[in-house]
Amino acid sequence: VDWAQLNDFVFSKGAFKFQNAVNFTGDAVFAYKSTQTCTFLAHSTVTLDSGFTFSYDTSTSADLLVFTDKTSQLILNNGATLH
C-alpha cells in the first residue's frame, strides 16, 4: 500500500493494523491520537519516507505501537521522523 499524504492528518479513534508493505510519503504529519494500539503484524514493513512524520500520543498509553514479532519492521528513510 502506498499512502501519499498532502496535508497533516489526525487519527483519533479506532485501531490501525499494518500488514505486508506500507509506504508513507509526503511532507506531512500523521498524528496517531487514538487510545487503541497501532499494530505491526508479522512480516510487515512500514516505511516512512523522507519528510514524513508519524506522531503518536504517549499520554494515552506508553504501549501504542505493537510489533507482533521480530519480522515486523518500521523503517525511517532520510529525514523521516517518529515521535
Side-chain angles (χ1 to χ4, degrees), residues 20-71:
N20 299 320
V22 180
N23 302 302
F24 285 92
T25 62
D27 190 14
V29 175
F30 183 95
Y32 194 88
K33 293 193 174 190
S34 177
T35 58
Q36 297 182 42
T37 60
C38 179
T39 305
F40 299 76
L41 298 174
H43 305 287
S44 294
T45 301
V46 175
T47 304
L48 306 182
D49 204 7
S50 178
F52 194 87
T53 298
F54 187 95
S55 171
Y56 62 102
D57 187 0
T58 56
S59 68
T60 59
S61 172
D63 300 320
L64 284 178
L65 302 183
V66 176
F67 295 84
T68 57
D69 65 19
K70 64 182 180 178
T71 66

